[in-house]
Amino acid sequence: MTQFTRRNFIKAAGGAAVAAGAAGFPMVSFGASKKVVVVGGGMGGAAAAKYIRMMDSSIEVTVIEANKHYYTCFMSNEVIHGRRSIDSIRFGYTGLAGHGVKVVHDIVTGIDANKQTVMTKGGHHFKYDRCIVAPGVDFKWEKIEGYDAKVAEDIPHAWKAGSQTVTLRKQIESMKDGGVVAICPPPNPFRCPPGPYERTSLIAAYLKKNKPKSKIVVLDPKPKFSKMGLFTAAWEKYYGYKSSDSMIDWQGTPKGSDDNVLKSVDAKTRTVTTGFNELKADVLNIIPAQKAGKIAFAAGLTKGDWCPVHHNTFESTIHKNIHVIGDAAIQSPLPKSGYAANSEAKVTAAAVVALLNGKDAPTPSWVNTCYSFVHPGDGISVAMVYNLVDGKVSKVKGSGGLTPGYAKSTMEMRAREEQYALSWFKNITHDTFG
Ligand SMILES: Cc1cc2nc3c(=O)[nH]c(=O)nc-3n(C[C@H](O)[C@H](O)[C@H](O)COP(=O)(O)OP(=O)(O)OC[C@H]3O[C@@H](n4cnc5c(N)ncnc54)[C@H](O)[C@@H]3O)c2cc1C
């Protein structure tokens, strides 16, 4: 991958912002009162709703969101580490209302694509001209015997931020020194590919300081993972990785084997069984395999586990006038990340506004950066700009890259990455909910 140079990235990303962001779209009103219904007010849905209103204030936009507050998954690993409070990652919907978005708290139970109507658990029906579906992910519970939504309250996945983030933090805090934390990451594809390894790093940082005799065992069903070289170099630097008393024991699974593929969980004894072994832990963090949010299946928007879309507009290839964005969509090579969901939201908002006004959708481009903390004061990132080639999202050659390894970077640069991450968090949450 190209070495990361921030100047090249910003140059390329600047192009993407003009194409996909609000900067390129003045507030306009075309007079017609069209209706857009957005299902899910998370990273993708909330941003799409706000940007449609900013681009064309004549469009009536309703967001239907299950919860009164949204907890960002990004920075939730910091809550688990203990240096951030759960309240600092909590956002409400008054900002969206300020942009004229109608926010309804209810659960969407169905979408009738023929009648262009969204139905809710509360018994309400919402007519739309265009619908944007952004429900995030659901879990494939059936893949792990003994693990389900109920068990997850005690043995948390914490892969949707909120109460389970707090539970995991408390369990690590109350674990004895010398205890074992077992983390079971999911198979690909899943939300936030570097997330389990950032979590491993930040739990290790907490344990190193507070319970140094403890261990973290990562039972990974994959042979490798995102930013692996950067993570393992940091684990060597801070946590003794590869030495005989390493705090982190990462066990991958070679292709074609099921060595560390999680088969079952015994919740009472906190024991996991994989294809190869059994492990009893003091704290268990199981992150199950993932698929599109439930409503995507109920609405017939899926093919396999995810929702196929036309990449120029993110309109479903199955149902007309319905767009699917964020983690639920098949958007590879864009990752399933909050930043990508935000970028997709802007592209889709621009497309929806154009199409509702009888115009062609503009040519899209997207941008993504995923930051991770490997230790307090030490951050890394992977970045990329994408454009449309032959109707598909494609990486723009030379536009992104990775943070250089320790040999080619200074600790000042790595500390700056941490600061960039914190500033990104402030900006993207304001961009989405402000
Ligand atoms: C630990 C962790 C760390 C992460 N770190 C980063 C990071 O550093 N950078 C980054 O870019 N991304 C990160 N991510 C990924 C990021 O959080 C997701 O990719 C992003 O939230 C996806 O946005 P979304 O809109 O698709 O889904 P979500 O943000 O999950 O939003 C979906 C919303 O839809 C609502 N909903 C679902 N179904 C219904 C229904 N039937 N009716 C009403 N409402 C419904 C939900 O309540 C939810 O609010 C991280 C994820 C995790 C787990």
Side-chain angles (χ1 to χ4, degrees), residues 39 107-114 117-121 128 131 133 135-136 138 291-307 316 318-319 322 324 328:
V39 178
I107 293 171
V108 175
T109 49
I111 303 171
D112 187 328
N114 293 324
T117 303
V118 170
M119 288 81 75
T120 69
K121 193 175 175 188
Y128 63 80
C131 179
V133 178
D138 204 349
K291 58 184 178 183
K294 195 173 166 191
I295 184 61
F297 290 86
L301 289 163
T302 51
K303 190 175 171 201
D305 289 333
W306 308 99
C307 303
S316 164
I318 301 172
H319 290 308
I322 302 180
V324 184

Side-chain angles (χ1 to χ4, degrees), residues 205-239:
Y206 167 77
L207 294 177
K208 186 181 158 186
K209 197 165 166 206
N210 299 283
K211 302 169 200 242
K213 287 187 261 166
S214 308
K215 297 270 178 223
I216 304 173
V217 182
V218 185
L219 299 173
D220 206 325
K222 308 180 286 298
K224 56 185 185 174
F225 56 84
S226 170
K227 297 189 261 186
M228 184 165 178
L230 288 172
F231 274 113
T232 52
W235 294 351
E236 277 185 55
K237 183 177 171 67
Y238 298 112
Y239 315 117

Side-chain angles (χ1 to χ4, degrees), residues 40 42-44 65-66 70 73-74 108 134 136 159 191-192 326-327 337-339:
M43 291 314 296
E65 163 56 44
Y70 180 83
C73 287
F74 39 86
V108 175
W159 219 240
R191 140 179 298 187
C192 194
D327 291 349
S337 79
Y339 200 150

Side-chain angles (χ1 to χ4, degrees), residues 99-307:
H99 288 279
V101 175
K102 292 182 183 167
V103 181
V104 174
H105 293 290
D106 202 342
I107 293 171
V108 175
T109 49
I111 303 171
D112 187 328
N114 293 324
K115 292 188 181 147
Q116 299 193 193
T117 303
V118 170
M119 288 81 75
T120 69
K121 193 175 175 188
H124 301 288
H125 287 201
F126 296 83
K127 290 283 279 177
Y128 63 80
D129 295 291
R130 289 205 171 248
C131 179
I132 298 177
V133 178
V137 295
D138 204 349
F139 299 107
K140 295 164 92 169
W141 303 107
E142 69 283 1
K143 295 280 179 194
I144 309 167
E145 198 189 320
Y147 197 58
D148 58 23
K150 183 87 190 97
V151 176
E153 286 169 24
D154 180 40
I155 296 180
H157 50 73
W159 219 240
K160 292 187 182 185
S163 61
Q164 286 193 21
T165 311
V166 176
T167 302
L168 185 55
R169 166 68 192 159
K170 282 187 181 152
Q171 290 178 354
I172 289 165
E173 238 183 327
S174 55
M175 186 181 83
K176 64 176 187 289
D177 189 7
V180 172
V181 179
I183 300 177
C184 303
N188 293 323
F190 64 99
R191 140 179 298 187
C192 194
Y197 314 99
E198 179 190 62
R199 179 171 290 177
T200 303
S201 308
L202 288 180
I203 293 175
Y206 167 77
L207 294 177
K208 186 181 158 186
K209 197 165 166 206
N210 299 283
K211 302 169 200 242
K213 287 187 261 166
S214 308
K215 297 270 178 223
I216 304 173
V217 182
V218 185
L219 299 173
D220 206 325
K222 308 180 286 298
K224 56 185 185 174
F225 56 84
S226 170
K227 297 189 261 186
M228 184 165 178
L230 288 172
F231 274 113
T232 52
W235 294 351
E236 277 185 55
K237 183 177 171 67
Y238 298 112
Y239 315 117
Y241 189 61
K242 289 188 181 161
S243 73
S244 56
D245 69 341
S246 174
M247 177 167 268
I248 298 173
D249 175 12
W250 177 80
Q251 300 179 20
T253 300
K255 247 189 170 169
S257 144
D258 68 351
D259 281 4
N260 292 299
V261 174
L262 189 55
K263 305 284 181 186
S264 65
V265 181
D266 182 339
K268 273 201 192 116
T269 59
R270 290 188 192 271
T271 303
V272 287
T273 305
T274 63
F276 176 67
N277 223 332
E278 232 182 54
L279 177 77
K280 185 171 161 27
D282 297 282
V283 175
L284 253 181
N285 175 216
I286 292 172
I287 309 165
Q290 289 154 42
K291 58 184 178 183
K294 195 173 166 191
I295 184 61
F297 290 86
L301 289 163
T302 51
K303 190 175 171 201
D305 289 333
W306 308 99
C307 303

